[in-house]
Amino acid sequence: MLALNWSLDLTELPETDSLYECDGAIRQSECRAAELFGAAYTAVSAGGCTLAIQGMLAAFAPVGSTVIFSRNIHRSAVNTAMLLGLRPVWVMHRRDAGEGLPGRVAPEDMAAALQANPGAAAVYLTSPDYYGCLSDIAGIAAVCRTYDVPLLVDNAHGTHLIAFDRHPLTCGATASACSAHKTLPVITGGAWLNCRDEQAAKRIKSAMALFGSTSPCYLTMASLDLARAWMQAEGMSAFRKLADTVDALRALAVKVGFGVPCGACDPVRLTLLTAAVGFTGDKAADYFRKHGAACEHSDGAAVVFILTPFNTSHDIDVLRRAIEAFPVREPIALSVSEPHMPAYAMPPRAALERVRETVPVEQAAGRIAAEAACPCPPGVPVVMPGEEIDDKCVKILLSTGIYEISVIQ
Ligand SMILES: Cc1ncc(COP(=O)(O)O)c(C=O)c1O
């Protein structure tokens, strides 16, 4: 049995500070993190990136306001939109990253949405996505400045991008939610909400307090401060070194026959497109697992490995050997559908307020979704609450292993 040092599990005391009214140790740790990210204000979250996303949306988008969302957002943002009664305007991502990958939202598509929705309170998108694909944050930030609208970025997978000058805040985003526990040495649930807008910063704590527990985990918060210190001392160079390792693995994989995402990507995420070597991503993941390399995510098209500076040279060797020995077959064709937008039936908040029931997905065509239905990971909904489930949604949901769905009665 693991021996835990319970004495480290602290609570609110004069010495330990209080998250939502902080002016001591927690505030100092937030100020040090703000320095790392070049933010005007940083708030810690022990409720994951989900709480940072909730706080970010609540601080920038008044209840009932219109927000321009990229369609490939995580369900935490969809749920927040429901709770806040936001009116989403969806911007489709373009298939610009490779077959089977969601792809990115183009600045000109965001500009068109802003032009068509002059009252929009904010623009919100996810970058990087689960596959490491980076959106053109600088381009979209420039569009947002033209329309004087804040750009909010779900940077759950990209806290470490600060080591590559590609963090959303560095690229011009107004605020970003960063799931530090995904890529830095942080205890599960540790995240930061970074903000460059000093006026909005004043609203962030009260916005987060709407959703967060009054008993945040002090171990998680302390681990954020330790990770911040590690980033400043060694982490930046450790991530740059890791990027060289991942570059070499990627080049090897391409030589073997795998595809990789095109366009701007997270330098340390290794996403391999497997149709070119004759496998679905899921089958390739089985092969890698049998050979000692567990991936973070697989689906029909890809396997995704999240490497960290804490992987040993043995770990890297195991993965290298598995890539080298991959039993390449004839390429297979992927049945990839275009990004799909089901018909709008009612605002997400209205769907939340209606009585719901759970039905088999096969019988759901024509019904209205009561909640976001998504395979997780990557947690990107196929159908949003308040949208009509059509035959295409049914097909996609069944193909991702979702057999039941909540619909309004
Ligand atoms: C893109 C994205 N955003 C937000 C989240 C939520 O993060 P957390 O689990 O830290 O609350 C996730 C979780 O996987 C994610 O993938």
Side-chain angles (χ1 to χ4, degrees), residues 47-51 53 72-77 124 126 128-130 154-157 179-182 189-191 296 376-380:
C49 201
T50 299
L51 177 57
I53 287 169
N72 58 339
I73 54 169
H74 188 258
R75 63 177 168 182
S76 49
Y124 180 103
T126 298
D129 66 11
Y130 224 96
D154 172 354
N155 180 47
H157 291 269
S179 204
H181 71 92
K182 291 195 196 310
E296 161 75 15
C376 204
V380 175

Side-chain angles (χ1 to χ4, degrees), residues 332-355:
I332 53 168
L334 287 178
S335 58
V336 178
S337 47
E338 280 306 297
H340 180 52
M341 181 98 75
Y344 168 90
M346 62 177 67
R349 174 78 203 196
L352 178 67
E353 287 166 0
R354 299 281 286 270
V355 179

